[in-house]
Structure formats: structure tokens, C-alpha cells
Amino acid sequence: MAEVGEIIEGCRLPVLRRNQDNEDEWPLAEILSVKDISGRKLFYVHYIDFNKRLDEWVTHERLDLKKIQFPKKEAKTPTKNGLPGSRPGSPEREVPASAQASGKTLPIPVQITLRFNLPKEREAVPGSEPDQPLSCSSCLQPSHRATKRKVEVVSPATPVPSETAPASVFPQNGSARRAVAAQPGRKRKSNCLGTDEDSQDSSDGIPSAPRMTGSLVSDRSHDDIVTRMKNIECIELGRHRLKPWYFSPYPQELTTLPVLYLCEFCLKYGRSLKCLQRHLTKCDLRHPPGNEIYRKGTISFFEIDGRKNKSYSQNLCLLAKCFLDHKTLYYDTDPFLFYVMTEYDSKGFHIVGYFSKEKESTEDYNVACILTLPPYQRRGYGKLLIEFSYELSKVEGKTGTPEKPLSDLGLLSYRSYWSQTILEILMGLKSESGERPQITINEISEITSIKKEDVISTLQYLNLINYYKGQYILTLSEDIVDGHERAMLKRLLRIDSKCLHFTPKDWSKRGKW
């Protein structure tokens, strides 16, 4: 058995932790750092195959030294992308074996016979036959169950309907309520759908190439040993104390403090409670700077120009980086607008979450970064932020999509929102003169402002597109309909377009932002 003094960075061994059921477990973890405080050693561990937000400092009592795995010795320190300091073998940066075997970096586009490339969202289930397609499940379920069905599901070898060709809703085994039938002759303007980099990311979340624009952009090249470790212990924001999930580049002298104090209105940070109290006597803000463009009940949205309110925007990005791992912070906030959602009470407007967007986006992105602060998560605010971003796109007369890659929680939220929004449209269709109701992908995109690629990927994710008797149909099973109705009953927070007071600006015609 190894001694505590022999443990070095890079070692792997089981570490004791409590799971969600409050039960003890011993997952394999990697030692990322070792420090000595008052003669007592602490070890910063990353649990293999767990999200980085669970990383923590532990004592040697929680380590299973009998099963320790020492790092392999190499002649030279390996680097990644030619950058020193990036240690290999960290689980969150390894490409999954399945992706390596296939050589893919993004969902493989399927060439179809009509007008566009279709992103392939899922692989075929091993052992499944054409008469055994993936069964429709609840619109909120991330997995598919294999069951028999009488109609063919769309597969890579099966052509997929054009966005201008209406689909018809058809009964599935006699249990569906709605169906939509393909009908030629209805033409609309259509852009060629983008390649796979514009499509929804696969669940493995491997981007092809990170974009180098954005207040918080994807860039793993600087993912070294420093940025892999949380550097802020605790943040006090108003009446909440937040435990950061990830690294954020706050000033080095603040990282040793037990608590970092933030003004909840201007987001300036201080070293102590006394500093914060002194600041509050001078800070006259009781809401985010910028224009209030939406208010209903206690919920308000403020539009903040990253150029006019630079200090607030940079402080907002610093706070957001504590809870966003897949982005790297840049201090140039000029090209961005920030939309901050707040909750009002007698003391002022308290920040709940926000999203940012580029003033000019060539890729039709309507969201660059999006975050609901942890105290307000699982209360419907995330979907409200997403719905508001699409409401702005409707006013602008554009379709939009979030900047990729999405985080794990962001991907779940967007898939859930897209599913509910599209199902709401399909279930609201009414048949004319006894015929099946009809709708095109273009029409769904125009009604919802959801980009066509996201509409198609959502229909595929829900397994709704089928090819039946020479036409394309959308099949809504009872399970899908019942699951959607249950989900909508829980969704109490919605955006009221009548309460939105927003005039879009043409940023391309402005000499300076």
C-alpha cells in the first residue's frame, strides 16, 4: 500500500464521496493538485466520467491507497495543440472511443435527395430491423426505446422531406391524435441548410472547431492545470451564497478568500463584508444598467450594451464563468448585447439569469451565452430565458439558434424547449374539410423563429418523421401527446409578447457601436 507522501499529481485512485441518494461510493478520481495547510495535506480530485463541477479538495482519509495508479513516466512532458502545461489523459478532454473509431467530430450529415443536408442526430440501434424502428417516447425523455411499429422511420438511406414540402400527421397503430400529409406544389423561399457545424451538437459534445468570437467563447487550447481547478471558494450575492462550479479569472489576490462579496446590482466584487457595506452606501443602482424592455409581474428584462456598460458586462462575464465550463472569457464586450432577467421586490431588481448575443451574427446566432444562477435553477427560468431570446428573434424577423457547443445543461434545456414549442404547434393544427392537417418545416420555423436545422433535429430526436405510402408524415403517439400535456401543465412561466417593448437596431449601418 502506498504512503500519503507518495501521492503526486496525475495519480488515479478511488475516492470516497456521497452520491445523490446520500450513499457512499468510491468512484475513480485523478489527483490534480496537492497542497499542505498547517502540516495537513489536501488533494484536489477530479472524478473520472463525472462533470468538473463535482471536483473538490479532500483529505487522505477519503483516498483508497490500496488501488492507487501512478502516472506513466515519459521522456518529455506531452503537450496538447503545441501548448505547454496541458497535461494529457484528463478524462474530460479525451475523445470518446466511438468518435475516434468513426473519425467524427460532429454529427454526420446525411445527404438527402431534395435541397439540403440533414444532420444525423442518432445512430441506428444495433440489431434493429427496418420494421423495428426506434419508438417515440415522451418529448422530455432523452433516450429511445426500441419497439415494433407498422410504419418506417426515417433512416440514413431514406429520403427526408424538403422544408417546403408539407408533412401529414398520421395515426400510429391507431393511437395517434394528429397527423400531417405531404403535398407538393407549395413553394417558399428556402436557404440551403448549413453543414454539420450549424446543426445541433451531438450528445458527446465534440465541436469541430471552436469559434474565436464572443464574450465567452469555446476554446479548449488554454485548458491547463490552472483553469481546470476551481479558484473561488464561495460567492455572496445578495441574500444568496453561491458555490462556484468552475474556474473564473478573478484577480489572484481574491482567490485565497473564504468568501468573495459581490454587489448584486452592479456586480462589483470586494474582499470583505465591510468593503461591500461601504460600497452599498455609494452604489445608487437598484437594477441592472440599461433599458428595461420587458416587465410582467415581478419578472423584468434589461437590455445592456456591452460598449456603453463595459464594467457591468465584464463583471457579469466573470460571474457567469464560475458556472460555465465550455467557454473562455474575453474582456472585449463591445460587440455584444446582454439581456439580464431580474426578479423584483421592495429592495430592488435581483439578477436571476442572463443571456448574451452578438450585435451582428453571420451564423444566425441569437444567443452566445446563457445562464440561470444556481439558486433559481429548476424553477422554469431557463426556458423563460430561451423563450425570450426567440421572442426577440420574432420581432427582428429572423430565425435564430444558440451558439455551439452547448453545455450539458444547456443542451437539455434547449431540446426540451424546442420539443415543447414544436409539439405545441403540431397539436394546435386543425384539419380542413376532413383532410389531415398539413404544415411545412419552413412554416414551423417562421412561426417559432427556430432555425430549420433545429426543427429537423428535434423532429428526429422525438422520432416523429416517418415515410409512409410514398409520403412523409409526422406521427404523434399517445405517449408523446400525454407527456407534452403533462410538461405544459408544469410550465407556469411564459413570455407575454404584449409586455415586450423592444425596437431592433440595424447594427450594420452604425459606424460605431
Side-chain angles (χ1 to χ4, degrees):
M1 187 175 81
E3 299 293 333
V4 175
E6 299 177 15
I7 301 175
I8 59 174
E9 295 177 6
C11 289
R12 296 192 176 195
L13 72 171
V15 178
L16 176 65
R17 70 178 296 271
R18 288 288 180 95
N19 59 21
Q20 293 179 336
D21 299 324
N22 206 29
E23 298 173 347
D24 291 344
E25 60 181 7
W26 292 84
L28 185 65
E30 178 184 358
I31 305 293
L32 298 186
S33 182
V34 182
K35 68 179 180 181
D36 196 315
I37 298 180
S38 302
R40 190 180 188 189
K41 281 198 172 185
L42 294 178
F43 305 90
Y44 192 85
V45 299
H46 166 70
Y47 298 102
I48 308 301
D49 296 329
F50 285 73
N51 192 283
K52 280 171 60 178
R53 70 174 71 100
L54 298 177
D55 295 2
E56 60 181 337
W57 289 98
V58 300
T59 58
H60 74 274
E61 288 88 359
R62 292 173 57 182
L63 307 179
D64 187 353
L65 300 178
K66 297 178 182 178
K67 300 179 180 179
I68 190 169
Q69 305 170 17
F70 289 97
K72 296 180 181 178
K73 294 183 180 180
E74 297 188 17
K76 294 182 179 179
T77 303
T79 61
K80 185 172 182 178
N81 298 332
L83 294 174
S86 295
R87 198 168 65 241
S90 58
E92 67 273 43
R93 285 160 45 211
E94 290 178 353
V95 178
S98 58
Q100 291 177 340
S102 61
K104 71 173 184 177
T105 56
L106 268 182
I108 302 173
V110 179
Q111 185 66 40
I112 64 172
T113 58
L114 295 177
R115 301 189 181 187
F116 55 90
N117 293 331
L118 182 68
K120 178 180 173 184
E121 281 293 295
R122 50 180 168 73
E123 302 291 341
V125 175
S128 62
E129 300 296 333
D131 62 342
Q132 293 178 322
L134 295 177
S135 171
C136 289
S137 60
S138 166
C139 61
L140 299 179
Q141 293 295 328
S143 60
H144 300 279
R145 296 179 295 275
T147 57
K148 286 195 175 183
R149 190 196 285 171
K150 293 183 179 179
V151 294
E152 283 189 346
V153 72
V154 172
S155 65
T158 308
V160 180
S162 163
E163 65 267 26
T164 59
S168 74
V169 182
F170 196 81
Q172 175 194 336
N173 297 337
S175 62
R177 295 187 185 175
R178 309 247 194 282
V180 186
Q183 186 184 57
R186 298 175 66 176
K187 295 184 178 179
R188 291 179 174 271
K189 288 184 179 179
S190 63
N191 300 322
C192 286
L193 295 188
T195 58
D196 51 353
E197 67 181 2
D198 289 325
S199 65
Q200 175 58 49
D201 280 19
S202 63
S203 57
D204 57 17
I206 306 172
S208 59
R211 295 181 62 248
M212 293 306 295
T213 60
S215 56
L216 289 168
V217 301
S218 173
D219 179 14
R220 307 301 295 190
S221 63
H222 301 291
D223 185 16
D224 56 19
I225 191 62
V226 175
T227 60
R228 288 180 65 193
M229 295 170 51
K230 303 173 194 175
N231 59 334
I232 303 295
E233 186 68 26
C234 181
I235 292 176
E236 183 169 305
L237 181 69
R239 61 180 180 271
H240 300 291
R241 281 206 168 185
L242 315 178
K243 190 172 183 181
W245 295 349
Y246 308 111
F247 172 88
S248 183
Y250 279 103
Q252 180 68 30
E253 61 269 19
L254 302 179
T255 60
T256 57
L257 301 174
V259 179
L260 180 63
Y261 295 88
L262 266 61
C263 172
E264 62 177 325
F265 300 114
C266 69
L267 301 183
K268 288 184 179 178
Y269 43 84
R271 299 177 58 88
S272 65
L273 182 59
K274 190 173 182 179
C275 290
L276 176 64
Q277 291 170 343
R278 187 165 58 247
H279 166 80
L280 290 176
T281 61
K282 305 173 185 177
C283 182
D284 54 0
L285 279 179
R286 288 299 174 264
H287 60 77
N291 301 322
E292 185 180 10
I293 60 175
Y294 179 91
R295 182 188 292 186
K296 184 177 182 182
T298 60
I299 300 296
S300 293
F301 279 86
F302 291 82
E303 183 183 55
I304 298 160
D305 190 324
R307 182 184 70 85
K308 295 179 180 178
N309 299 282
K310 226 173 229 187
S311 176
Y312 181 90
S313 301
Q314 291 175 353
N315 288 333
L316 179 60
C317 289
L318 280 171
L319 174 62
K321 183 63 186 71
C322 290
F323 306 99
L324 295 173
D325 179 44
H326 63 295
K327 302 287 184 178
T328 297
L329 188 145
Y330 289 117
Y331 287 94
D332 182 17
T333 60
D334 289 17
F336 289 87
L337 295 169
F338 297 84
Y339 295 90
V340 177
M341 180 169 63
T342 64
E343 201 172 49
Y344 175 76
D345 64 15
S346 58
K347 294 183 179 180
F349 295 80
H350 308 281
I351 181 171
V352 171
Y354 90 104
F355 68 88
S356 60
K357 63 185 291 187
E358 292 177 286
K359 294 175 180 176
E360 294 181 274
S361 175
T362 56
E363 295 92 347
D364 294 329
Y365 290 136
N366 65 352
V367 165
C369 296
I370 186 168
L371 171 70
T372 304
L373 291 175
Y376 299 96
Q377 290 178 0
R378 304 189 64 84
R379 290 166 57 180
Y381 289 116
K383 278 200 183 71
L384 200 66
L385 282 167
I386 295 173
E387 186 177 2
F388 188 78
S389 70
Y390 281 106
E391 201 64 42
L392 296 183
S393 296
K394 291 177 185 178
V395 177
E396 294 170 346
K398 302 176 182 177
T399 59
T401 187
E403 185 175 309
K404 311 300 189 304
L406 292 169
S407 66
D408 52 351
L409 298 178
L411 180 59
L412 290 174
S413 298
Y414 265 96
R415 275 184 172 165
S416 177
Y417 172 79
W418 289 332
S419 299
Q420 292 180 10
T421 303
I422 293 172
L423 286 171
E424 198 171 26
I425 297 293
L426 297 179
M427 292 173 61
L429 294 175
K430 296 180 181 179
S431 59
E432 299 178 2
S433 63
E435 296 182 358
R436 298 189 192 99
Q438 300 176 358
I439 194 168
T440 66
I441 290 176
N442 252 351
E443 287 172 333
I444 295 175
S445 181
E446 290 171 6
I447 293 170
T448 61
S449 283
I450 299 174
K451 204 171 181 181
K452 289 190 288 286
E453 291 90 332
D454 296 329
V455 173
I456 295 170
S457 70
T458 302
L459 293 174
Q460 285 185 306
Y461 174 73
L462 295 173
N463 205 15
L464 298 184
I465 303 178
N466 299 283
Y467 189 67
Y468 184 70
K469 292 185 178 179
Q471 63 182 354
Y472 298 97
I473 61 173
L474 301 178
T475 307
L476 302 185
S477 66
E478 288 288 348
D479 289 342
I480 290 281
V481 173
D482 292 342
H484 171 72
E485 290 176 345
R486 286 195 302 270
M488 296 306 291
L489 289 175
K490 298 177 183 178
R491 191 173 163 187
L492 304 178
L493 296 174
R494 299 297 298 269
I495 294 295
D496 186 351
S497 58
K498 296 177 183 177
C499 300
L500 176 63
H501 304 284
F502 170 71
T503 303
K505 298 176 183 177
D506 187 357
W507 296 100
S508 62
K509 295 182 180 180
R510 303 170 72 89
K512 289 185 177 180
W513 289 325

